[in-house]
Structure formats: structure tokens, C-alpha cells
Amino acid sequence: MTLPRIQSLVRQRRVQALAIAMLVPFLAIAPFHLFMPAPVKAHGVAPPVQVGISFSPVRAGYLGLDYRSAFKRLEAMHFRVIRLSTYWDQVDTEGYDQLDWLMNEAQRARQPIVLTVGMKALGWPEFFVPASVTDLATLNQGQDVASDSSLRAGTLAFVEDTVLRYRDNPTLVGWQIENEPFNRAGPQRLWIDAGFLRDEISSVRQLDHHHRPLIVNAFSHFNLVFDQASARQGFDLRQWLGFDADSAERDSLAVLNRGDVLGLDV
């Protein structure tokens, strides 16, 4: 090997050694960027959150509270919205007196309200169907309740009566159609199919000439046990692995229009 060739190899080795000496510290430091906050808007100052709350006079009574004074205390806290439910079995036996008071009080206080209509409402046992319409105990575990023709007809009539009664209340800002309709719930883990929910939605749209947004909510991911307990298909390996499964969230979006609201109970 000639002397010029040897000198050339030495220079190349020096350059390679210098490059390695510079690269090693960089590689040692580079992973630390994973622990640094990203320069995105999420790390800026967030605006105040508009918080709402749900109120159940049934729950208030269970806790030994007078529902009128409890509701007024919530109004005094100035929540962005308070969600109420129509309890069909209560209306069937006692009439609308209790809900009338709540809606009239909200109007007096100018408290925005979302009202849930249908056979499902806030709280256990989830379905509040009058025994005079259908005995839910006769239904099968995990059944679609809308497969009962008498229950379908009765529910639509109840929804119509409720919407006509409150549609001109100016504090009402939206209708929630059922409560978690696509999730199995209650002692018999019953649920409502999309076809019937669309019938309810169509009825509310036609009756409410103020064109308020409609809300459909779903029991969203909480933990694996509750997710599977509320899933219509039972154990779903795809959902456990993070794939797009037949979720209540996706079904809820499918029945909504632009301007409507998807609610996630998490």
C-alpha cells in the first residue's frame, strides 16, 4: 500500500471518529424530547368549562331531600344546563305535576333545561314503564324492548304528550331521546333498537316547531367490566383490542343529524 493511500485512510478514520464522537451525545439526549411538553394549544390556558348537571327528584327523595328546595339550590349555582327526565310510570299514576313544577321553576329562574323523553330515564332501574302498558319482568334477558308492539305504541304516545306539553317552554334548550338507548341496562339488561329510536326522533322533530337539537347518549368506555356489561353483543374481543366494534357510540352517531348532540357518559 502506498504512502498517499495510507494517509487518506487515516484522514477518513479521523473524520469517522469525529462524527461518532458528536453523534453519541446527541443519541443520549434525543429521547428526552419525549418527556418535554409539546408546543401545541392544549398546553395553553383553557377557557372556563361550561358545566351542567343532572337532577332527579326520585333520587332527591331517596336521599331524604325535598326536591323543590334541592332544585332551587342547584339553580343558585348557575349551571350551564340542568338535565331532567320524564318518568313514565310516575306520570301514569300521578300525572305531570312534579315535572310541571320543575319546568315552571326553571322558566322563572331562566335556568336552561335539557329534558329526556321516552321509556328510559336517569337512575335505576333504567326503564320506567307503567305496568299497565307492559310487564317488563316477562321479557327475556338482553331483549330489545322495542320488539314489544304495545310498548312501541305506548312509548310514542307518551313522547308525543310530553313534547306537546313542554315544547313552548323558553328555557328548554334540547331534547334527549331516551337515556343510553343502545346500552343494555337494568335488572334484565334490556336495550332499544335503532329503528324504534329513529321513530322517536322523527316524532320529536315533527312536533317541536322550535327545532331544538336532539341528544342521544351512550355509556362510553369506563373500564372493561362495565363496558362488557353494557354491550349488546356481550364479550367483544375486537373492542378489548381497541378495534372499531359495534359500539353504542357509533350507533348513536348514526341516528343523529348535523347540529344534534352525541352525549358520552364516562
Side-chain angles (χ1 to χ4, degrees):
M1 184 178 294
T2 62
L3 179 61
R5 177 60 176 164
I6 293 174
Q7 292 174 336
S8 175
L9 288 174
V10 170
R11 285 195 297 270
Q12 291 178 15
R13 292 284 193 272
R14 288 175 179 172
V15 171
Q16 292 172 355
L18 180 60
I20 291 173
M22 297 175 62
L23 183 61
V24 168
F26 173 78
L27 292 176
I29 297 173
F32 285 99
H33 82 279
L34 299 175
F35 303 98
M36 301 297 290
V40 295
K41 293 181 180 179
H43 295 280
V45 178
V49 177
Q50 298 296 316
V51 179
I53 197 169
S54 299
F55 177 75
S56 167
V58 176
R59 179 67 175 170
Y62 174 77
L63 295 174
L65 302 174
D66 175 74
Y67 78 89
R68 293 181 178 87
S69 59
F71 188 73
K72 288 183 177 180
R73 289 178 67 183
L74 288 183
E75 289 179 320
M77 297 174 73
H78 302 292
F79 285 100
R80 174 65 184 83
V81 67
I82 297 179
R83 179 174 59 158
L84 300 174
S85 280
T86 49
Y87 292 95
W88 189 7
D89 57 349
Q90 181 187 60
V91 170
D92 184 64
T93 57
E94 304 174 12
Y96 281 97
D97 289 352
Q98 186 179 80
L99 189 55
D100 281 349
W101 186 91
L102 290 168
M103 294 298 291
N104 290 335
E105 168 59 25
Q107 183 173 350
R108 182 201 65 79
R110 298 182 180 180
Q111 169 63 58
I113 294 292
V114 164
L115 185 60
T116 299
V117 296
M119 67 182 90
K120 288 192 74 177
L122 301 173
W124 189 264
E126 308 281 347
F127 288 88
F128 295 85
V129 177
S132 59
V133 176
T134 299
D135 182 3
L136 294 182
T138 63
L139 301 181
N140 298 323
Q141 282 280 333
Q143 182 175 335
D144 161 28
V145 296
S147 60
D148 185 312
S149 59
S150 62
L151 184 52
R152 293 173 71 99
T155 302
L156 288 175
F158 175 56
V159 169
E160 179 178 351
D161 290 344
T162 303
V163 173
L164 290 176
R165 191 176 191 89
Y166 300 116
R167 65 182 181 181
D168 292 324
N169 189 313
T171 57
L172 184 63
V173 297
W175 305 97
Q176 180 177 302
I177 314 302
E178 301 292 355
N179 187 56
E180 301 173 352
F182 296 125
N183 294 109
R184 292 190 295 188
Q188 293 167 274
R189 303 176 69 200
L190 305 174
W191 60 285
I192 302 170
D193 74 72
F196 180 65
L197 193 71
R198 287 191 175 94
D199 291 342
E200 292 181 281
I201 288 173
S202 297
S203 177
V204 175
R205 289 196 198 281
Q206 293 172 7
L207 294 169
D208 182 20
H209 47 259
H210 297 288
H211 308 294
R212 296 177 177 89
L214 304 186
I215 303 167
V216 174
N217 66 334
F219 185 89
S220 191
H221 301 299
F222 181 72
N223 64 39
L224 293 178
V225 175
F226 286 119
D227 285 351
Q228 295 307 310
S230 65
R232 297 188 307 280
Q233 292 78 17
F235 178 79
D236 192 334
L237 181 61
R238 294 174 301 168
Q239 187 175 359
W240 277 48
L241 295 176
F243 293 103
D244 186 19
D246 295 328
S247 66
E249 297 96 319
R250 188 176 67 177
D251 292 343
S252 299
L253 281 172
V255 300
L256 295 173
N257 288 350
R258 186 182 298 274
D260 290 333
V261 178
L262 171 68
L264 298 178
D265 296 342
V266 297

